[in-house]
Amino acid sequence: MELYKNKVAIITGAGSGIGRATCLLLAEKGARITVVDISKEGGEETVSLIQELGAEAIFVQADVGSRDEVKQYVDETVKAFGTIDMFFNNAGIEGSVTKLAEYPDDLFEKVVDINLKGVFYGMKYVIQVMLENGGGSIVNTASNAGIVGTPGVSPYAATKHAVVGLTKTATGEYAGQGIRVNAIAPGPTATKMMERFTQGSEEAKVAVESGIPAGRYGTPEEVAHLVVYLLGDQSAIINGAVYPIDGGLTAL
Ligand SMILES: NC(=O)c1ccc[n+]([C@@H]2O[C@H](COP(=O)([O-])OP(=O)(O)OC[C@H]3O[C@@H](n4cnc5c(N)ncnc54)[C@H](O)[C@@H]3O)[C@@H](O)[C@H]2O)c1
């Protein structure tokens, strides 16, 4: 079955972690991919890794918090590949670990710009193309912090809850036009983001892992398998769902 062959995907935050792992899995399946990241180095490296697998990719450097740059990565994809079948709306930042009353206003705004406005603009402009083309599949990246309260990261938790709200609302608005919108809610996953959270400390990592029923972080590749399934036609009946992928963290 060649479900993904020549299908066009945009992946944001594709220069590292979960975004990169998803690019590589889709590349193995023959998709054509627009790699979007604020980091030129990370994005170009992902494009090279995709090309090594024999798939086609372009890199668009963009800050997803900028509406104009979001519009640009959508326009450049249509110019290069003609359409958009799949969209992994994934870029996000964690902000700092600071209690709400002390949280710096400028950092609060930055987290909202990237994690909420970035996801909103991405959906807005991609859905316009998908409507013209008769449908498509979108996966937004929420978090376990989008399902339960997460002390220390109020803007991160607020924006990830907002991603869930956007996902479910867009499902109701566009299901009749062939567009599916789902979200994933990863728990701690072994990427640079968790390294920053734990500041590279093995002790802090072990403390986080001890709170996860599975006893370990997820891997970006495990998350990528879920994303690729949700992006593809095998999940055609799944719409408006928010999938925890967290070793049982939010079940208890
Ligand atoms: N790692 C985890 O434990 C975890 C858990 C739950 C949710 N998530 C979410 O998964 C997503 C991916 O994170 P990751 O763990 O792969 O982290 P990561 O830091 O490894 O990768 C994030 C990528 O996003 C890019 N990026 C950051 N700001 C950007 C911007 N303004 N515009 C475009 N690109 C930008 C970075 O350059 C980086 O390449 C994020 O939305 C994150 O909140 C991660």
Side-chain angles (χ1 to χ4, degrees):
M1 269 199 296
E2 296 202 323
L3 287 172
Y4 302 87
K5 185 107 189 130
N6 291 327
K7 290 275 167 79
V8 178
I10 298 178
I11 301 185
T12 68
S16 173
I18 293 167
R20 175 177 286 174
T22 305
C23 284
L24 299 186
L25 193 54
L26 274 179
E28 280 172 13
K29 295 176 186 296
R32 294 178 288 164
I33 303 169
T34 297
V35 168
V36 177
D37 207 284
I38 199 167
S39 159
K40 190 162 185 281
E41 197 190 344
E44 286 181 345
E45 197 177 311
T46 299
V47 168
S48 300
L49 293 168
I50 291 171
Q51 287 168 343
E52 279 169 27
L53 292 168
E56 256 185 271
I58 60 166
F59 171 55
V60 182
Q61 185 176 23
D63 174 355
V64 300
S66 152
R67 185 179 42 202
D68 290 348
E69 290 179 35
V70 171
K71 183 129 189 17
Q72 191 198 339
Y73 75 63
V74 171
D75 289 348
E76 288 198 24
T77 302
V78 174
K79 200 168 139 207
F81 299 128
T83 189
I84 304 165
D85 302 300
M86 303 178 280
F87 178 38
F88 184 30
N89 201 2
N90 167 70
I93 58 165
E94 66 277 14
S96 71
V97 181
T98 312
K99 283 188 181 176
L100 193 150
E102 283 82 45
Y103 209 93
D105 292 344
D106 55 348
L107 188 55
F108 174 83
E109 278 165 28
K110 188 173 176 195
V111 175
V112 170
D113 280 348
I114 295 170
N115 293 10
L116 173 52
K117 291 186 189 168
V119 169
F120 172 77
Y121 292 137
M123 290 170 79
K124 177 173 176 166
Y125 293 117
V126 167
I127 286 171
Q128 290 176 6
V129 175
M130 286 180 170
L131 285 172
E132 279 172 24
N133 294 333
S137 180
I138 297 174
V139 175
N140 295 321
T141 301
S143 167
N144 62 297
I147 297 177
V148 295
T150 312
V153 289
S154 51
Y156 185 76
T159 54
K160 292 300 186 179
H161 275 73
V163 169
V164 171
L166 288 175
T167 300
K168 292 181 177 178
T169 301
T171 298
E173 291 178 353
Y174 296 107
Q177 286 144 295
I179 299 174
R180 296 189 296 120
V181 190
N182 292 291
I184 56 161
T189 305
T191 68
K192 287 181 188 157
M193 181 174 280
M194 278 313 294
E195 282 172 25
R196 291 191 297 269
F197 258 123
T198 54
Q199 298 178 333
S201 147
E202 187 56 28
E203 207 182 321
K205 178 172 185 266
V206 169
V208 174
E209 285 179 331
S210 70
I212 303 171
R216 66 167 177 88
Y217 288 0
T219 67
E221 291 74 20
E222 285 172 318
V223 179
H225 278 282
L226 173 61
V227 176
V228 169
Y229 171 65
L230 290 173
L231 286 173
D233 287 345
Q234 282 182 319
S235 63
I237 195 62
I238 300 176
N239 206 351
V242 181
Y243 274 85
I245 175 159
D246 63 5
L249 186 62
T250 49
L252 304 174

